[in-house]
Amino acid sequence: MNPKNIVEKIILVFLSFYFLALYELVVTPAVMEWSFFGILLSLIIVGLLSFSIPSDKRISYLIYALAFLAINRALGNLKNASIILNVVGSVIVFFVIFFISKYFGRVSFGSFIVVFLTALFINITFYPFEYPLWSKFIVKWRSPVLYDSNSTIDYFPLQVANVDGKGGKEIIVQGNFDRTKKSTKDEGLDGEDFPFQKNEESTYLVFSWNGKTFDELKQGEYSISEVAKSLKNDYLNFPYYGVKYNLSSNGIIKNLTPLRKPEVLIENAMVFGQAPFSAISLDLESIMQYEEAEKSLEKNIAHNSGKSLGTNIRLDNPMQISAQIKDSLLTGEYKGKPFSIQTGGSAILGTAHCFSDDSAQLIVLGRDLYVYSVNIKGEIRLISQLSTKKVPDIGTADLVIGDVDLDGKDELMLNTEYARILKLGEQGEWKVLWLSPDNSFRFESYTRIGEMNRSEIFALSNSFMRQNKTKYVTDYKFSPSGLEQQWRIFMGLTELTPGDVDGDGQIELISYLPYKHVIFVLEKSKIPLVPLVYTFTICLILLGFYGKLGKAKLRRFKGDS
Amino acid sequence: MLGLKIKLLAVLTFIVFFTTALFSGCGYRLASGTVETNQPKKEIVAANLVKDILEKSLDKTKNQATKFRFQGWISSKVQKRLTNLMFNDGTYDRQVGFFIKGSLLRTNFIYYRWKDNSYINGGNKWRRVSSLPNANEPLRGFEGLLVVADRMNKLPDQKILSQECSVFQVELNGDDIRKVIPTGISIPNYEVTKTFLPTSKLIYTIWIGKKDSYIYQYETVLTMPVPGAGMLDQTTFFRFWDYNSRNINIPNPERFGIIL
């Protein structure tokens, strides 16, 4: 092989990476964010790029680029399949795309192999859906597939808490990845093609940083009661499933069992006059099971560890407040002083410092949203109640708490159908600082990751392509005139949970990829990859045109002489 | 030479466009504001009149509707979690049975009832399932509404798929729910029923055709407390049309390759 040929192949490998970066970090975001202008911009970039390639190689390079992207996508889709399917699939992909490429232009077999191998390498090294992350993050850790993808479950809640008695924080998530590792085949129930018929069994998994990567902790290496305490209430697939917890040598297992067969649900709904009431009957059965399960878990854990559960908010938070609701009684402790009050709420959503004095506020949810204020003497009173008259769907709200306007007092970022930021006044009155114009917006967290100098709002929202319903991770900065978008990543992650899980003193963002059941630990990237790709693109184009100019001059010079 | 100039111009335009695109504040500015919920005006109508309209409608719909199309869903929301049972496309024929294309927890299904036999297809395979005895008379179970007819509010008339409809609405508390429950449905007697049903609320809205008295649509919105998570918000919505239309024909089982 002559050296020129080798250089060409190396350039091709390099270009393949560039094609991927261009496609994922420039073209896709442009189209998603600026729709028409984005398409125009992308066409101009691709047009100029191809124009700057010498005309004799133009077609073949375009084909290499398209072939590479196609192969990369195809191999990515094969990733979760079995090994045999993977091998057979890859071979088929290779030949199909090779012959199509061959049909369209002069493509050398050698170069095509180089392109294919590059795609294969990228697919082995990276997770095929993570490229959009690179624009802002470094993927510190990507979990294995944690749960069967052929199930009714979209995602499990993510939790960050210290459960191993050592300093750092661990990641807690559910999964059955022992089973997905062994086989992804269903266990031959009669409705094997209908995932609704299956039991959904998941184990609470604890992942901890070992200095290099995240390891799953075995039972004994973490405290089961600490894990149980940190669990969120999660009405997964409600009201169609009943729930049970089991303690085993693998940890806490959560077992969801369908309460009705699908045909029963369908035929019940089909008697239209009865449908709302058979639904109520099912709701109550499911609620009963959820409550029984909670109680039995509490009993089992207490039995095993001698500790009691039941605190919704724990003492180890920086506000030194603990609280729980039992039998309509809100009780707890604030800076060592106990308090108690009757409440109409059932869930404690969080604690906040809404005022400049040293009181703390408890945000409690029932039919309405209640705010209780407790002072250091342990005196507690209801200071505000946000009812369904003001916010119709307040009862299904969840929230993020943080000081978004930087006045030293916390605001509530409320996720209702139309998300909003509310500020509580001294008299218990509410001021709307911001209201989402569409119902796709969801607050996820308010934090400062990496070396950001202030906390920012991490939310999920639609892109400007309104037809596309995927909600993307978006970073906003609050300003009095609204939320200013800082950046957006075109990946539909959820459960964005901040936490320092690797003990480096900086906060990472942990997130869940729904349906694929993979979690990512993301660290803020210091390399401005997107501007680099843009700059590189400009350089390539200029270089191409410079080359053309040079050639033209040469031609003219030859012509003159 | 001219060609080269054009090319250079193109490059320059591109760079200008490009840099403006990069540095222009492509922000998602969202103004703040307040919420106002628009409550439709309520008309006061004599209670016995509502009862008459309702009685006539229930009777007619139950006895004279032999064929119709339908669509609807039951959706349940608790905090972030939302689940759906959807009927996207349904047809009913009293002589034969019914046929539904829908989805349950995002899994698509086709459900097919042919006389006394029911079949479900949740992927690419039909499976015979045991059918309930009463599902073949779908427009039953509305009688309970007569009990609360005297409390119904009349909302402004609405058109449902070009049918002019009277709209009635009633708000029911936990005790009322027990009163209007149709025969054949029982509320389980758990501890949680005692805790959560009394504080539940159900808003029932029904749309009745002004011309032909058929039920064209109904919606119930249930809010019920759930332990540790605020409220369950559950909407049941169904819409019916093409009553007794000749165009409604449910295909034979053989068409789907089902062997009886």
Side-chain angles (χ1 to χ4, degrees):
Chain A
M1 209 186 242
N2 70 47
K4 198 184 156 203
N5 221 335
I6 292 173
V7 171
E8 219 163 62
K9 299 268 178 321
I10 292 170
I11 289 176
L12 201 56
V13 171
F14 188 68
L15 279 179
S16 296
F17 276 94
Y18 168 70
F19 295 148
L20 184 67
L22 185 72
Y23 177 73
E24 294 286 349
L25 304 178
V26 173
V27 175
T28 311
V31 171
M32 297 282 232
E33 201 75 323
W34 307 320
S35 47
F36 174 73
F37 288 106
I39 295 169
L40 199 69
L41 175 72
S42 311
L43 284 177
I44 292 173
I45 293 178
V46 174
L48 284 174
L49 267 178
S50 47
F51 201 74
S52 65
I53 304 171
S55 57
D56 55 327
K57 290 192 176 144
R58 194 173 295 151
I59 297 289
S60 51
Y61 270 98
L62 278 178
I63 288 171
Y64 287 137
L66 289 176
F68 169 77
L69 291 175
I71 295 166
N72 203 38
R73 180 55 64 94
L75 294 182
N77 288 335
L78 281 170
K79 191 120 179 176
N80 280 349
S82 65
I83 295 171
I84 302 169
L85 200 66
N86 240 311
V87 173
V88 175
S90 305
V91 171
I92 292 172
V93 166
F94 181 88
F95 283 107
V96 168
I97 296 180
F98 177 68
F99 284 115
I100 293 175
S101 311
K102 198 85 186 156
Y103 176 79
F104 280 108
R106 265 192 304 147
V107 173
S108 89
F109 191 66
S111 300
F112 188 82
I113 286 185
V114 168
V115 167
F116 185 86
L117 288 180
T118 315
L120 195 67
F121 170 78
I122 288 176
N123 262 286
I124 290 167
T125 325
F126 305 107
Y127 188 70
F129 305 99
E130 75 179 40
Y131 316 125
L133 291 172
W134 298 350
S135 64
K136 287 288 160 192
F137 292 108
I138 293 167
V139 180
K140 178 130 197 174
W141 182 62
R142 173 193 342 111
S143 76
V145 175
L146 295 172
Y147 201 78
D148 301 336
S149 52
N150 179 28
S151 85
T152 57
I153 289 167
D154 43 1
Y155 68 93
F156 288 109
L158 259 183
Q159 220 87 262
V160 171
N162 178 11
V163 294
D164 67 352
K166 293 174 204 156
K169 283 184 171 172
E170 288 75 48
I171 302 168
I172 305 160
V173 67
Q174 283 153 265
N176 61 359
F177 92 113
D178 290 341
R179 225 172 57 193
T180 49
K181 246 193 294 189
K182 272 179 220 142
S183 80
T184 48
K185 238 187 144 201
D186 293 332
E187 283 149 25
L189 277 151
D190 50 350
E192 67 210 35
D193 53 343
F194 202 23
F196 182 72
Q197 293 258 291
K198 282 193 304 183
N199 285 6
E200 302 282 2
E201 193 183 272
S202 61
T203 310
Y204 284 90
L205 309 167
V206 178
F207 290 100
S208 170
W209 179 248
N210 66 5
K212 273 189 192 143
T213 182
F214 285 86
D215 274 340
E216 192 199 342
L217 293 186
K218 291 185 191 73
Q219 207 202 347
E221 292 176 319
Y222 64 90
S223 147
I224 281 203
S225 69
E226 286 298 320
V227 171
K229 274 186 202 173
S230 65
L231 302 185
K232 290 181 199 162
N233 280 310
D234 180 31
Y235 284 82
L236 177 56
N237 284 348
F238 183 85
Y240 300 109
Y241 285 78
V243 61
K244 275 203 169 62
Y245 290 105
N246 295 314
L247 290 180
S248 82
S249 57
N250 294 322
I252 308 172
I253 294 169
K254 188 174 192 174
N255 203 339
L256 295 172
T257 322
L259 290 174
R260 304 271 190 278
K261 288 180 171 166
E263 57 266 30
V264 176
L265 289 169
I266 292 163
E267 295 217 346
N268 275 340
M270 195 52 209
V271 188
F272 296 110
Q274 297 182 351
F277 302 97
S278 41
I280 292 179
S281 168
L282 184 64
D283 296 338
L284 287 166
E285 195 173 331
S286 190
I287 289 176
M288 188 270 289
Q289 291 229 11
Y290 268 88
E291 198 162 75
E292 293 281 304
E294 289 297 321
K295 276 184 192 160
S296 86
L297 177 68
E298 209 166 300
K299 222 168 90 185
N300 276 326
I301 301 281
H303 183 74
N304 277 10
S305 67
K307 282 184 195 163
S308 91
L309 278 174
T311 34
N312 291 77
I313 299 285
R314 297 154 60 196
L315 257 176
D316 59 0
N317 62 46
M319 294 180 70
Q320 300 177 23
I321 190 163
S322 73
Q324 58 174 323
I325 296 175
K326 253 193 187 155
D327 305 323
S328 315
L329 202 63
L330 171 66
T331 54
E333 235 179 71
Y334 178 50
K335 296 198 169 155
K337 287 271 165 47
F339 60 82
S340 108
I341 192 170
Q342 280 284 331
T343 178
S346 67
I348 303 173
L349 296 187
T351 55
H353 275 307
C354 297
F355 306 119
S356 45
D357 58 5
D358 48 12
S359 66
Q361 283 68 47
L362 284 161
I363 322 294
V364 173
L365 185 69
R367 180 177 291 283
D368 300 341
L369 188 83
Y370 306 87
V371 181
Y372 294 93
S373 187
V374 56
N375 63 20
I376 44 170
K377 290 178 198 156
E379 291 163 351
I380 185 167
R381 63 192 176 94
L382 178 67
I383 54 164
S384 187
Q385 191 169 348
L386 194 60
S387 73
T388 47
K389 283 197 188 93
K390 289 205 180 104
V391 184
D393 58 334
I394 188 75
T396 58
D398 62 305
L399 60 75
V400 176
I401 295 167
D403 177 18
V404 290
D405 60 359
L406 306 177
D407 66 347
K409 300 170 212 166
D410 286 338
E411 284 80 43
L412 307 187
M413 287 161 260
L414 204 61
N415 286 320
T416 44
E417 190 186 358
Y418 292 87
R420 61 200 82 199
I421 303 178
L422 298 178
K423 190 170 186 62
L424 188 62
E426 298 279 343
Q427 306 303 318
E429 77 283 4
W430 294 99
K431 195 179 153 199
V432 182
L433 293 189
W434 178 81
L435 175 71
S436 169
D438 64 62
N439 61 4
S440 74
F441 189 99
R442 269 197 63 87
F443 292 107
E444 283 281 313
S445 63
Y446 183 67
T447 188
R448 173 204 312 241
I449 51 169
E451 286 166 349
M452 275 159 62
N453 48 19
R454 63 172 270 196
S455 290
E456 284 172 16
I457 296 167
F458 290 84
L460 299 178
S461 58
N462 284 159
S463 72
F464 279 121
M465 292 270 271
R466 288 286 163 217
Q467 302 86 332
N468 180 355
K469 289 288 164 216
T470 315
K471 293 179 185 180
Y472 297 107
V473 180
T474 317
D475 176 40
Y476 294 97
K477 213 179 236 172
F478 177 83
S479 84
S481 60
L483 297 189
E484 281 167 19
Q485 182 179 322
Q486 304 299 302
W487 45 258
R488 176 174 283 153
I489 282 173
F490 290 91
M491 190 164 168
L493 292 165
T494 190
E495 291 286 301
L496 307 181
T497 315
D500 178 14
V501 287
D502 61 359
D504 65 352
Q506 288 192 337
I507 289 171
E508 290 83 43
L509 200 63
I510 302 105
S511 61
Y512 199 107
L513 185 61
Y515 308 108
K516 310 278 184 202
H517 303 290
V518 173
I519 58 175
F520 293 92
V521 176
L522 302 173
E523 230 166 38
K524 196 82 196 292
S525 165
K526 283 172 194 155
I527 305 161
L529 198 57
V530 178
L532 274 180
V533 175
Y534 270 99
T535 318
F536 188 70
T537 308
I538 295 175
C539 291
L540 270 188
I541 292 169
L542 290 179
L543 206 70
F545 277 89
Y546 184 75
K548 273 184 194 282
L549 270 176
K551 266 191 194 155
K553 268 189 191 153
L554 199 67
R555 228 178 291 134
R556 206 147 40 100
F557 176 74
K558 275 183 185 162
D560 285 349
S561 66
Chain B
M1 198 56 210
L2 189 71
L4 265 175
K5 269 188 184 161
I6 291 174
K7 278 174 203 166
L8 268 172
L9 201 69
V11 177
L12 283 175
T13 329
F14 163 70
I15 291 171
V16 169
F17 181 74
F18 196 82
T19 32
T20 36
L22 256 185
F23 296 107
S24 65
C26 39
Y28 184 9
R29 272 184 187 266
L30 310 160
S32 59
T34 48
V35 220
E36 276 172 34
T37 42
N38 287 324
Q39 289 283 337
K41 274 185 193 157
K42 288 168 187 167
E43 278 174 55
I44 310 288
V45 184
N48 52 357
L49 191 66
V50 179
K51 195 164 186 179
D52 285 351
I53 296 174
L54 207 59
E55 212 157 18
K56 193 179 165 202
S57 168
L58 298 190
D59 196 55
K60 180 160 184 198
T61 313
K62 197 162 94 180
N63 295 320
Q64 293 185 27
T66 55
K67 287 178 171 187
F68 61 89
R69 292 183 200 280
F70 58 92
Q71 192 182 41
W73 58 82
I74 302 176
S75 76
S76 318
K77 185 172 186 280
V78 182
Q79 293 194 318
K80 276 167 93 174
R81 298 282 191 188
L82 176 72
T83 59
N84 283 314
L85 168 61
M86 305 273 297
F87 289 177
N88 297 321
D89 177 13
T91 37
Y92 169 79
D93 180 347
R94 187 180 285 178
Q95 298 287 314
V96 193
F98 54 83
F99 185 80
I100 308 167
K101 278 184 186 167
S103 66
L104 173 60
L105 292 168
R106 291 182 306 278
T107 308
N108 292 331
F109 67 79
I110 310 174
Y111 197 84
Y112 182 46
R113 172 135 170 177
W114 176 262
K115 302 199 167 133
D116 289 331
N117 300 314
S118 296
Y119 307 87
I120 193 168
N121 187 333
N124 41 28
K125 191 168 83 186
W126 285 96
R127 184 163 59 90
R128 187 167 171 178
V129 291
S130 54
S131 35
L132 303 181
N134 55 10
N136 222 356
E137 289 177 64
L139 292 168
R140 290 178 314 108
F142 290 100
E143 306 81 45
L145 282 180
L146 294 172
V147 184
V148 290
D150 54 337
R151 284 164 47 198
M152 281 199 159
N153 291 309
K154 189 177 186 310
L155 305 183
D157 292 348
Q158 261 180 32
K159 263 193 177 168
I160 301 298
L161 302 170
S162 79
Q163 287 285 338
E164 195 67 36
C165 288
S166 306
V167 190
F168 300 102
Q169 190 176 66
V170 65
E171 192 179 311
L172 307 172
N173 63 26
D175 287 340
D176 299 330
I177 292 174
R178 282 187 186 276
K179 275 185 223 154
V180 302
I181 272 187
T183 43
I185 298 284
S186 62
I187 294 290
N189 212 6
Y190 305 127
E191 200 59 38
V192 291
T193 315
K194 286 179 213 153
T195 328
F196 298 120
L197 192 61
T199 47
S200 300
K201 199 169 86 178
L202 185 80
I203 296 174
Y204 204 126
T205 319
I206 188 162
W207 286 256
I208 294 168
K210 290 194 102 147
K211 253 193 235 154
D212 54 10
S213 288
Y214 282 122
I215 299 175
Y216 276 92
Q217 184 170 294
Y218 82 90
E219 182 190 57
T220 64
V221 178
L222 171 79
T223 44
M224 183 193 270
V226 283
M231 306 296 277
L232 159 69
D233 195 331
Q234 189 168 59
T235 304
T236 305
F237 171 92
F238 285 101
R239 174 180 278 186
F240 318 98
W241 70 97
D242 272 6
Y243 276 110
N244 299 342
S245 157
R246 280 187 200 165
N247 301 329
I248 296 178
N249 288 304
I250 294 179
N252 275 350
E254 289 87 27
R255 255 217 48 210
F256 306 107
I258 300 172
I259 298 145
L260 294 176

